């Protein structure tokens, strides 16, 4: 195929523009990104060659080579790794496939180029494009391991790139940056300068487990006797895996760089977690909690972030056997000593050692979150805001750790206005005689707080958790309680806030309203299964409540949003015995029912539905009835 000129995908073009106009203040990191890609490519070719002996990949001396050329003002980063096919170059380099990219770019545009933009851009794995921060032209030549022809890609990062086949490319990828003239003056950032390159590699890429070599300067001229052979290339990195080094010898900055390498994030980690086991089954783990959730955290194909190594050899990315889905935001590395290099994902799922590691990782991550909660409330708050929703999924999927997860969760509550409350703190505030942790689920804090179900609880000063995440609708039914105290929805079942005296009165009221309740249940039989006197209302005339196991209105809406029709739930209509509308209905009904009275019952039911944010089945009928009443009152 001849040379083709191809436009960058719109998102890619936008991102490139941001890169070129240097949204990121520290340009040096472009080299870290290119080395990181080269290192991944070396990991991949080793694995590919191991899995397919017929592949014909070259794996003799895997390394990264840096070639600064002061005269030509170029820097080349070359690897003899896996390489890319022509299609892969177009797909991987010419487009950004990540879901949510368009939304994020829109936010970025809004944010301008301040700190906020820098923070947002951290959510991309923009890696390769950072070359354009320092180069006004980039060439990439690559040949996929096990194939014959190579590919040359070239771009100035503006709107398009060219791509052409080449005959004689070595295996792997070489990226040549034609450095911007503007950086040449700046001694610290002249990337054709060997000492600058040396410093950057030491700072950002020392832990890379493959040798990063710098090609020496060509000797000025060949000596007469030919003794002056080309000097040896210099290896710039120590190649020591961070997780294998003693904890006290690794600086926070080194951890941060390693985190960036494994996570493709640009920021520092929120927290670093190390653990190790020795003896018959040896492993080391170096894990991180990020500061910001990736864009796709809540999308269906979100990947898990822990890599598996076996004795320093990279085995796989996104190792789902090592972390449960609800901890998919945890990044890092597990290096296990006694696994076969040839393990597959399927085998790992059933491996007893891997399950043991996984159990321990989960416990350690949860206890770390607990420590943050107790000792670093600000970090904990960041964590919770970014990852709380994911963590709560564990209440459903990880029965064994349910209580621990609950303990590190926090929730919005009527009594905690600045920050969400933990359950332990809720329990401390419980009133004398209070037997349950009260909660209500709904669309928003305001919707819940103004729902009629809250009235008696507010009146009596009981604290209610306000649960507004979709996942809250589900876990509340799966969790028995916390630390011996059951959870109870204030919108379900009977409430029991009464004193003995109240109870007697309630019995009397029940008798007083029995006739009305029975008649209304008949009139509204399509919509409700029972009508009864309420003890949870102070100002509203009526509200709807579910039975313990009934689906909530929010859950019904969620089903509809997913395109499923939920089974029809008939709820219970509760009446406020001290509301004039209700006593009025009772008195009129006692004298004899009529069509008008039946319409009043219908209106009352519709009002209760609206008050909790529900949806009327026949809004136009409701409006018709209401406007007729209003006309009569004029
Ligand atoms: P990321 O590394 O976060 O995926 P990059 O922009 O750095 O994003 O790279 C995009 C993709 O291009 C990589 O995932 C990889 O598949 C491919 N790639 C980049 N550099 C190389 C390389 N040196 N060798 C092989 N593939 C590469
Ligand atoms: Mg990368």
């Amino acid at each position: 195929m001849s040379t083709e000129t191809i436009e960058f995908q719109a998102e890619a073009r936008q991102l490139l523009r941001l890169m070129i106009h240097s949204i990121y203040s520290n340009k040096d990191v472009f080299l870290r990104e290119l080395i990181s890609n080269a290192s991944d490519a070396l990991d991949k070719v080793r694995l590919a060659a191991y899995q397919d002996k017929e592949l014909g990949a070259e794996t003799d001396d895997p390394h990264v080579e840096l070639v600064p050329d002061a005269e030509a003002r170029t820097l080349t980063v070359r690897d003899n790794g896996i390489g890319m096919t022509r299609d892969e170059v177009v797909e991987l380099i010419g487009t950004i496939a990540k879901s949510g990219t368009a939304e994020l770019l829109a936010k970025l545009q809004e944010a301008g180029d301040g700190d906020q933009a820098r923070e947002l851009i951290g959510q991309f794995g923009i890696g390769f494009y950072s070359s354009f921060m320092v180069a006004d032209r980039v060439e990439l030549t690559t040949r996929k391991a096990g194939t014959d022809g190579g590919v040359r890609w070239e771009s100035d990062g503006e709107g398009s790139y060219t791509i052409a086949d080449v005959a004689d490319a070595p295996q792997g990828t070489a990226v040549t940056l034609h450095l911007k003239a503007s950086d040449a003056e700046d001694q610290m950032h002249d990337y054709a300068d060997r000492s600058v390159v040396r410093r950057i590699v030491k700072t950002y890429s020392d832990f890379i487990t493959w040798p990063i070599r710098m090609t020496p300067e060509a000797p000025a001229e060949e000596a007469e006797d030919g003794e002056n052979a080309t000097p040896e290339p210099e290896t710039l990195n120590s190649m020591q895996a961070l997780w294998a080094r003693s904890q006290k010898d690794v600086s926070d900055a080194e951890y941060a760089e390693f985190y960036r390498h494994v996570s493709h994030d640009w920021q520092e980690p929120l927290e670093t977690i190390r653990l190790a086991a020795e003896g018959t089954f040896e492993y080391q783990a170096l894990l991180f909690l990020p500061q910001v959730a990736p864009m796709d955290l809540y999308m269906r194909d979100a990947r898990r972030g822990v890599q598996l190594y076996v004795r320093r050899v990279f085995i796989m990315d996104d190792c789902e056997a090592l972390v449960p889905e609800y901890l998919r935001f945890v990044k890092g590395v597990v290096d296990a000593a006694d696994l076969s290099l040839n393990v597959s994902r399927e085998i790992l799922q059933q491996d007893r050692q891997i399950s043991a590691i996984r159990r321990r990782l989960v416990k350690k991550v949860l206890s770390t979150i607990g420590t943050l909660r107790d000792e670093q409330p600000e970090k904990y708050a960041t964590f919770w805001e970014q990852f709380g929703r994911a963590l709560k999924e564990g209440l459903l999927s990880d029965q064994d750790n349910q209580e621990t997860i609950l303990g590190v969760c926090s929730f919005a509550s009527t009594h905690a206005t600045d920050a969400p409350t933990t359950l332990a703190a809720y329990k401390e505030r419980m009133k004398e005689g209070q037997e349950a942790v009260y909660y209500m689920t709904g669309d928003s804090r305001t919707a819940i707080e103004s729902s009629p179900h809250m009235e008696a609880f507010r009146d009596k000063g009981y604290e209610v958790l306000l649960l507004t995440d979709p996942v809250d609708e589900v876990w509340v039914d799966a969790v028995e309680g916390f630390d011996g105290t059951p959870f109870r929805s204030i919108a379900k079942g009977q409430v029991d806030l009464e004193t003995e005296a109240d109870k007697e009165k309630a019995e009397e009221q029940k008798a007083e309203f029995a006739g009305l309740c029975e008649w209304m249940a008949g009139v509204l039989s399509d919509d409700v299964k029972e009508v009864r006197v309420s003890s949870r209302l102070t100002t509203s005339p009526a509200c709807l409540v579910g039975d313990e196991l009934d689906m909530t209105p929010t859950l019904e809406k969620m089903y509809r949003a997913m395109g499923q029709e939920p089974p029809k739930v008939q709820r219970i209509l509760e009446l406020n015995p001290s509301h004039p509308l209700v006593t009025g209905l009772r008195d009129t009904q006692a004298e004899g029912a009529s069509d008008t009275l039946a319409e009043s019952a219908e209106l009352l039911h519709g009002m209760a539905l609206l008050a909790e944010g529900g949806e009327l089945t026949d809004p136009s009928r409701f409006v018709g009835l209401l406007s007729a009443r209003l006309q009569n009152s004029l």
Side-chain angles (χ1 to χ4, degrees):
M1 227 184 282
S2 57
T3 306
E4 247 186 298
T5 302
I6 304 179
E7 296 267 307
F8 280 108
Q9 167 213 35
E11 279 96 2
R13 205 160 50 229
Q14 221 174 330
L15 192 58
L16 274 163
R17 199 175 311 132
L18 285 162
M19 274 283 113
I20 292 170
H21 300 108
S22 183
I23 203 155
Y24 201 67
S25 53
N26 180 5
K27 293 182 180 185
D28 291 355
V29 297
F30 82 91
L31 189 54
R32 168 188 76 199
E33 294 299 324
L34 295 182
I35 291 175
S36 175
N37 287 350
S39 163
D40 290 348
L42 294 168
D43 287 338
K44 285 180 194 157
V45 79
R46 170 159 62 181
L47 200 64
Y50 192 86
Q51 287 169 344
D52 178 3
K53 303 274 188 280
E54 311 286 287
L55 183 64
E58 166 213 319
T59 50
D60 289 346
D61 176 26
H63 66 280
V64 184
E65 189 182 343
L66 305 178
V67 193
D69 185 334
E71 218 142 282
R73 296 225 29 83
T74 59
L75 172 64
T76 299
V77 180
R78 178 179 297 138
D79 64 70
N80 50 357
I82 190 80
M84 287 174 271
T85 63
R86 184 171 177 132
D87 288 348
E88 282 171 343
V89 174
V90 172
E91 189 189 316
L92 297 168
I93 305 290
T95 62
I96 304 169
K98 297 197 171 74
S99 33
T101 301
E103 291 86 332
L104 192 75
L105 278 166
K107 271 200 262 170
L108 256 172
Q109 211 107 55
E110 242 166 68
D113 55 4
D115 285 347
Q116 205 197 338
R118 234 162 273 149
E119 211 163 277
L120 282 169
I121 211 164
Q123 294 180 42
F124 281 107
I126 36 163
F128 177 78
Y129 288 172
S130 60
S131 318
F132 289 99
M133 297 194 301
V134 300
D136 35 35
R137 193 155 59 85
V138 177
E139 286 170 64
L140 176 147
T141 307
T142 182
R143 178 167 66 81
K144 178 97 173 181
T147 70
D148 284 335
V151 185
R152 230 179 78 91
W153 176 99
E154 188 175 338
S155 178
D156 59 8
E158 293 292 347
S160 62
Y161 57 88
T162 60
I163 189 161
D165 292 342
V166 291
D168 53 354
Q171 174 191 309
T173 304
V175 178
T176 298
L177 310 175
H178 294 266
L179 298 167
K180 286 185 183 174
S182 51
D183 289 327
E185 272 93 81
D186 182 349
Q187 276 195 6
M188 290 296 287
H189 302 283
D190 176 2
Y191 303 111
D193 179 329
R194 296 189 137 60
S195 59
V196 170
V197 170
R198 199 176 284 124
R199 171 182 62 80
I200 298 177
V201 171
K202 205 66 204 161
T203 314
Y204 295 108
S205 309
D206 190 62
F207 55 81
I208 295 286
T209 43
W210 303 105
I212 304 169
R213 298 184 193 139
M214 183 154 64
T215 314
E217 244 167 319
E221 64 192 46
E222 199 77 17
E224 291 271 300
D225 53 10
E227 289 257 308
N228 207 357
T230 331
E232 289 281 295
E234 169 190 5
T235 300
L236 303 181
N237 57 328
S238 74
M239 289 188 273
Q240 280 186 304
L242 278 202
W243 61 88
R245 283 166 57 189
S246 143
Q247 186 156 6
K248 63 181 191 324
D249 296 340
V250 184
S251 69
D252 286 350
E254 284 177 293
Y255 279 131
E257 285 313 328
F258 181 72
Y259 164 73
R260 292 182 175 116
H261 171 66
V262 288
S263 68
H264 301 224
D265 189 353
W266 283 43
Q267 308 186 54
E268 291 188 0
L270 184 72
E271 191 66 9
T272 301
I273 305 171
R274 279 192 70 152
L275 74 165
E278 293 186 351
T280 47
F281 182 45
E282 202 179 312
Y283 65 88
Q284 290 133 338
L286 175 52
L287 305 176
F288 302 95
L289 304 179
Q291 289 190 40
V292 181
M295 292 177 284
D296 62 355
L297 187 65
Y298 297 106
M299 296 185 185
R300 199 160 302 186
D301 52 358
R303 305 197 306 177
R304 288 172 231 189
V306 177
Q307 300 181 335
L308 176 67
Y309 279 67
V310 173
R311 290 176 303 272
R312 317 282 177 274
V313 176
F314 171 82
I315 304 294
M316 67 180 71
D317 265 330
D318 323 317
C319 183
E320 54 282 278
L322 282 172
V323 271
E325 194 176 354
Y326 73 97
L327 296 181
R328 57 190 174 275
F329 51 84
V330 174
K331 305 282 179 193
V333 163
V334 171
D335 188 339
D338 304 318
L339 284 175
S340 146
L341 287 178
N342 216 2
V343 289
S344 67
R345 288 186 192 270
E346 293 67 42
I347 292 176
L348 282 177
Q349 294 292 1
Q350 290 153 33
D351 188 282
R352 281 180 39 229
Q353 298 183 336
I354 290 287
S355 339
I357 301 185
R358 174 184 167 123
R359 275 197 298 279
R360 190 136 171 259
L361 292 192
V362 170
K363 292 220 162 13
K364 181 75 181 182
V365 169
L366 294 176
S367 71
T368 304
I369 300 168
T371 311
L372 288 184
R373 175 203 56 199
D374 297 338
E375 292 168 13
Q376 294 178 278
E378 274 183 24
K379 272 196 188 180
Y380 171 78
T382 305
F383 168 83
W384 187 254
E385 197 192 312
Q386 297 292 322
F387 302 110
R389 266 168 65 198
L391 195 75
K392 283 190 283 187
E393 294 168 18
L395 294 172
L396 288 161
S397 57
D398 188 354
Q399 297 285 333
D400 294 348
N401 291 299
Q402 206 175 57
E403 186 86 6
T404 318
I405 299 172
L406 271 181
V408 298
C409 283
S410 46
F411 306 97
S413 129
T414 47
H415 286 41
T417 42
D418 316 333
T421 180
T422 61
L423 290 171
Y426 178 103
K427 284 195 71 167
E428 271 169 31
R429 287 189 295 265
M430 273 173 50
K431 282 183 167 297
E432 184 135 338
Q434 183 180 344
E435 280 165 6
V437 173
Y438 292 116
Y439 71 87
M440 183 167 165
T441 60
D443 289 341
S444 69
R445 183 176 181 121
T446 333
I448 302 177
E449 279 188 317
S450 47
S451 107
H453 305 95
M454 278 311 272
E455 290 171 6
F457 289 84
R458 189 181 304 116
D459 209 42
K460 301 209 154 108
Y462 283 98
E463 178 165 5
V464 177
L465 301 179
L466 312 166
L467 307 181
T468 54
D469 282 336
V471 62
D472 293 332
E473 294 286 341
V474 200
W475 72 256
V476 288
D477 291 330
V479 172
E480 295 265 307
F482 174 69
D483 190 17
T485 310
F487 286 99
R488 193 163 299 149
S489 166
I490 65 165
K492 284 183 172 180
Q494 299 273 13
V495 286
D496 195 7
L497 299 178
E498 297 114 328
T499 59
E500 283 306 311
D502 288 340
K503 277 185 186 144
E504 259 169 50
K505 196 164 155 226
E507 280 307 309
E508 282 167 26
Q509 283 171 335
K510 201 172 152 192
E512 245 178 79
F513 287 86
L516 178 68
C517 289
E518 196 184 327
W519 171 78
M520 273 183 80
V523 173
L524 300 171
S525 62
D526 277 350
D527 299 303
V528 302
K529 62 180 162 199
E530 188 189 340
V531 178
R532 68 187 179 208
V533 176
S534 184
S535 58
R536 62 187 109 209
L537 299 172
T538 59
T539 47
S540 298
C543 71
L544 286 159
V545 298
D547 261 337
E548 295 295 348
L549 297 175
D550 283 351
M551 209 179 263
T552 64
T554 314
L555 198 56
E556 280 185 38
K557 270 191 236 167
M558 279 162 53
Y559 270 99
R560 287 201 191 94
M562 291 187 297
Q564 291 175 26
E565 192 50 38
K568 188 173 164 71
V569 179
Q570 284 200 317
R571 294 198 294 151
I572 300 160
L573 183 68
E574 287 196 353
L575 304 177
N576 177 355
S578 39
H579 197 284
L581 201 53
V582 176
T583 48
L585 269 178
R586 177 199 56 194
D587 298 344
T588 322
Q589 194 271 333
E591 284 160 21
S594 66
D595 284 352
T596 330
L597 201 64
E599 286 170 9
S600 300
E602 217 181 314
L603 280 166
L604 195 62
H605 171 256
M607 281 155 59
L609 202 56
L610 289 175
E612 64 173 19
E615 286 162 12
L616 297 165
T617 27
D618 189 350
S620 60
R621 177 172 164 82
F622 182 83
V623 171
L625 291 177
L626 187 63
S627 54
R629 291 297 161 100
L630 287 174
Q631 270 170 29
N632 286 343
S633 73
L634 291 175

